[in-house]
Amino acid sequence: DLYSFCTLLLLIVIMKSSLMTYARRSTLTCQRAMVSNKNTDNTTRVCVIGCGVAGLQTVRSMKARGNPVTAFDIAPTVGGVWRENYADFGLQVMKQLYEFPDFPNKKARWGSYPTGPMIQKYIEEFTDHYQLRDSLQLNTKVTSVKKNGDGWTITTAPAGGGAETTHEFDFLTVCTGMYGTKKDCPVQEGIKDFKGDLLHGVEFRDKTLAKDKNVVVIGGGKTAVDIAMTASGLAKSVLLLERNPHWPTPRMFGGVIPVQYIVNSRLGSFLVAAQSTPFPDASLRVRVGSKLAKPIAKPIFKLLEALFAFQLGLKGDFKPTAALIPDLYNCAYLITTSLKKKVASGAIKLTKGEAACLTANGMTLKDGTQVEADVVIYATGYQKSYRYLEDEVVKSLGIEDDGLYLHRYMLPQNVKNLAFVGSEVGTFSNVLTSGLQAEWLARHLSAGTLPSEEEINKGIAKHKEFCRSFMPKHPARASQVLLHQNHYHDVLLRDMGV
């Protein structure tokens, strides 16, 4: 049948690919890089905003080269988004795709998907192992960030209130993550009339809120699916409302092939580049390989679409109409076949539509359908905020309606001694990516070899051309790397001479 044929063909394709994925290869390379070329004679004072996985790795790389570094975070402990989040949250990728380059998560089984609390504990162990806490100021709110010549004046205050303190730094690194402030509810009309509970996805921390209630979850991404799955075990009814269906990626292709062997294989990367466009400054091997793969790329991805649709039960209005690769750069997430089973059993009702207004006891959809709801959870994402920076700096960054374009996804135009690490880049191995970025930045900063203004501007121009050549327009387009992550990591490693 079609399912068996697709699975067999995919197995053949993967067996032709490298047995060791590039994610592991670049992890090992980064591990070697992070314990070599240390320099303890640097005096550049570095400020880091954020103590999540990106901020901690930046602190570690800067300390390793003798740079005086201080990281601030308003939270009482490290971890960022892993410190607390919605009920039953956890990794959507296998544990080996979310590990610090030289500190593997030995407590999680290979191929497992650790829970949020497990990842939080792992991050705290990393912090203690490398003795980073003496460089962290937790429970500290950054109230002002101002340019002071070529340096920065940072004003902070205790998170609970109190006297402000002013600090002077030579270099500022923003490590606040990909998730900014939560978006407002997409349905504003009737909010005051609604008698039930209305909350953003991140606020759904107590799943008993759904007990014996009619729950509506608005959204079509991972958070929406996770919340709907959690609520379905307690709620009277769960309706998952999505406006436009997107292609989800199954954790196991055909039920047998782990996603990493598709996402991170060399052949897979060449096929993606062939179907879209090669990554900026990619090697000659990548450019040639993507051209050679072009004749087979389109039929293979059509085959994948058929496999995904069959495996995940996507049909009718719920089968995406967009091509797989461009759509993944619009909304990428991994799921199991559990959602298909929940929908088939009636535990979750999947509905395509858009809310027009809230009513006292639910909502009205734009097609006139009345939906009963006691709890409405809108898992519609986040929006970037740069309000911690003074207006002149924000204006100089040149933020566009599809995001903030940066050289190597780190360095902005027109603003000296500022970098973003792990904040403006999205990949399937975010910990590894931010680790490579932190090491890249620390090496160049310590050696005095940061790119010139001309190099930065040229890099940003290539970045824009790359993203806009095939990705759908959306507010975070500038930050998307995703399936090109192998080739992005190549570029960073080559820049470092590793």
Side-chain angles (χ1 to χ4, degrees):
D1 58 16
L2 177 62
Y3 185 86
S4 300
F5 171 75
C6 291
T7 301
L8 178 61
L9 184 57
L10 271 174
L11 279 168
I12 294 172
V13 169
I14 298 307
M15 290 303 293
K16 292 290 184 181
S17 168
S18 171
L19 293 178
M20 176 183 254
T21 68
Y22 189 71
R24 293 203 66 192
R25 289 178 57 199
S26 54
T27 296
L28 295 172
T29 304
C30 188
Q31 180 178 346
R32 292 194 296 271
M34 295 184 77
V35 296
S36 63
N37 297 327
K38 292 185 179 180
N39 182 347
T40 58
D41 298 326
N42 297 300
T43 58
T44 303
R45 298 166 298 173
V46 179
C47 173
V48 175
I49 300 179
C51 293
V53 294
L56 293 172
Q57 291 185 96
T58 301
V59 169
R60 196 224 160 174
S61 290
M62 292 297 177
K63 286 187 70 174
R65 280 157 186 80
N67 292 111
V69 57
T70 304
F72 302 100
D73 201 303
I74 194 172
T77 188
V78 300
V81 297
W82 296 105
R83 189 177 62 84
E84 59 179 357
N85 215 306
Y86 58 87
D88 296 343
F89 74 107
L91 277 183
Q92 68 167 320
V93 296
M94 287 179 287
K95 78 101 180 182
Q96 56 268 29
L97 295 183
Y98 202 89
E99 290 183 309
F100 295 106
D102 51 353
F103 189 75
N105 188 352
K106 295 180 180 179
K107 294 181 180 179
R109 178 176 50 83
W110 177 271
S112 65
Y113 296 81
T115 64
M118 291 171 66
I119 294 298
Q120 174 63 21
K121 185 176 181 181
Y122 169 57
I123 293 170
E124 291 177 355
E125 290 172 350
F126 171 85
T127 305
D128 293 330
H129 180 79
Y130 289 108
Q131 301 177 353
L132 304 180
R133 293 190 187 273
D134 60 347
S135 296
L136 313 181
Q137 290 194 24
L138 302 171
N139 274 315
T140 302
K141 181 179 181 180
V142 175
T143 59
S144 173
V145 177
K146 294 183 178 179
K147 253 307 196 170
N148 183 7
D150 285 341
W152 299 88
T153 298
I154 311 295
T155 305
T156 63
E164 291 187 333
T165 304
T166 299
H167 316 261
E168 299 296 331
F169 292 96
D170 303 306
F171 198 93
L172 172 63
T173 308
V174 176
C175 302
T176 52
M178 286 291 290
Y179 305 105
T181 58
K182 57 191 179 187
K183 289 183 178 179
D184 292 332
C185 179
V187 191
Q188 291 295 311
E189 186 178 346
I191 282 182
K192 293 182 179 179
D193 299 324
F194 183 55
K195 296 179 181 179
D197 295 303
L198 177 66
L199 60 157
H200 187 276
V202 74
E203 297 169 330
F204 182 66
R205 292 173 182 162
D206 180 7
K207 58 187 177 183
T208 61
L209 179 67
K211 186 173 177 59
D212 300 325
K213 303 285 185 64
N214 295 303
V215 178
V216 174
V217 182
I218 302 174
K222 177 184 183 293
T223 301
V225 171
D226 283 354
I227 291 173
M229 293 289 289
T230 295
S232 67
L234 296 168
K236 180 180 178 181
S237 69
V238 176
L239 185 146
L240 181 57
L241 180 66
E242 60 177 357
R243 183 173 53 186
N244 296 306
H246 294 283
W247 285 106
T249 302
R251 287 181 174 180
M252 300 288 286
F253 282 36
V256 292
I257 308 171
V259 64
Q260 75 174 101
Y261 296 112
I262 300 284
V263 171
N264 284 324
S265 69
R266 275 296 172 183
L267 177 58
S269 297
F270 284 138
L271 291 172
V272 169
Q275 185 70 354
S276 54
T277 189
F279 191 80
D281 294 327
S283 67
L284 177 63
R285 181 177 63 175
V286 170
R287 297 196 300 272
V288 171
S290 63
K291 285 185 178 180
L292 293 175
K294 206 168 189 66
I296 63 171
K298 187 173 181 178
I300 284 179
F301 285 114
K302 281 293 184 183
L303 186 65
L304 280 176
E305 290 179 10
L307 174 61
F308 289 5
F310 184 87
Q311 185 177 349
L312 300 175
L314 307 175
K315 54 187 177 181
D317 288 342
F318 303 104
K319 183 178 180 180
T321 56
L324 177 62
I325 294 302
D327 192 56
L328 288 177
Y329 285 81
N330 190 13
C331 181
Y333 63 103
L334 303 177
I335 64 172
T336 68
T337 56
S338 299
L339 176 62
K340 176 183 177 181
K341 296 174 182 176
K342 288 275 189 178
V343 172
S345 69
I348 295 176
K349 181 179 180 182
L350 191 59
T351 300
K352 181 180 179 180
E354 190 172 354
C357 66
L358 293 169
T359 62
N361 300 310
M363 66 175 62
T364 302
L365 304 187
K366 287 191 173 180
D367 65 1
T369 303
Q370 299 294 315
V371 177
E372 185 178 356
D374 305 302
V375 179
V376 174
I377 304 169
Y378 53 101
T380 49
Y382 300 80
Q383 56 193 4
K384 282 289 187 179
S385 172
Y386 304 92
R387 63 175 181 268
Y388 51 87
L389 297 170
E390 61 182 334
D391 291 343
E392 282 301 311
V393 173
V394 175
K395 184 177 179 180
S396 297
L397 289 175
I399 301 169
E400 303 190 39
D401 58 1
D402 57 346
L404 173 58
Y405 285 93
L406 304 168
H407 176 60
R408 297 291 191 256
Y409 291 80
M410 284 182 276
L411 301 180
Q413 61 183 4
N414 304 325
V415 184
K416 293 181 63 176
N417 297 326
L418 170 65
F420 296 81
V421 172
S423 296
E424 302 291 339
V425 59
T427 67
F428 282 102
S429 304
N430 286 327
V431 175
L432 173 59
T433 299
S434 57
L436 287 167
Q437 285 189 326
E439 186 63 20
W440 183 97
L441 181 63
R443 281 176 174 240
H444 283 293
L445 183 62
S446 300
T449 56
L450 286 172
S452 66
E453 183 177 348
E454 181 181 2
E455 289 175 304
I456 289 173
N457 290 336
K458 285 182 178 179
I460 290 175
K462 292 178 182 178
H463 182 180
K464 289 181 181 179
E465 182 181 2
F466 166 70
C467 291
R468 292 171 177 173
S469 66
F470 72 96
M471 298 183 197
K473 185 176 180 179
H474 57 87
R477 177 165 61 181
S479 65
Q480 299 305 306
V481 176
L482 297 178
L483 299 173
H484 285 79
Q485 73 171 32
N486 287 350
H487 300 156
Y488 173 53
H489 292 170
D490 279 348
V491 171
L492 295 180
L493 292 167
R494 188 182 68 213
D495 286 350
M496 290 188 281
V498 178

